[in-house]
Amino acid sequence: MLLVLVWLVLMAGAFYMLLWRPQQRRIAMVRELQTQLQAGDEVLTTSGIYARVVRLGEDDAEIEVAPGTVLHIARGAIGQVVTPPGESFDAHGGTTEAG
């Protein structure tokens, strides 16, 4: 009986360490990305579209995938920022050094 109880505790600990904890880290990283996101950032959506953020709303965003082509997407669909560190985009899509 004691062996079964120890086995169950070990399985619960393994479940926590292998599944629950990494998922919580990913959620925290996504929340941090969403708070640091700003207009002009070059992003990659979760569906694989590279674009530049034009406007950010509370739950949505507008991204420009080509000059004059703007898509309205859910803000959560932005998977990562791909703007090189120290650079930002000006109103015409050109890069400028951040200072």
Side-chain angles (χ1 to χ4, degrees):
M1 181 67 178
L2 183 62
L3 184 61
V4 172
L5 184 61
V6 169
W7 180 251
L8 286 174
V9 169
L10 286 175
M11 291 300 289
F15 175 79
Y16 174 77
M17 294 300 288
L18 296 174
L19 299 174
W20 184 261
R21 233 175 119 202
Q23 180 65 22
Q24 294 303 314
R25 284 187 192 157
R26 280 190 288 274
I27 290 171
M29 288 172 55
V30 167
R31 284 187 187 138
E32 182 179 343
L33 168 78
Q34 293 296 328
T35 60
Q36 294 177 354
L37 199 60
Q38 26 182 297
D41 285 345
E42 188 78 17
V43 296
L44 175 63
T45 66
T46 55
S47 59
I49 298 172
Y50 286 91
R52 184 173 55 89
V53 176
V54 176
R55 183 193 63 81
L56 288 169
E58 190 71 25
D59 297 321
D60 62 342
E62 289 182 356
I63 58 173
E64 185 175 37
V65 294
T69 306
V70 177
L71 300 176
H72 185 204
I73 64 169
R75 191 169 175 157
I78 297 174
Q80 60 183 300
V81 176
V82 293
T83 302
E87 288 188 359
S88 61
F89 288 87
D90 63 15
H92 303 290
T95 59
T96 58
E97 283 295 318

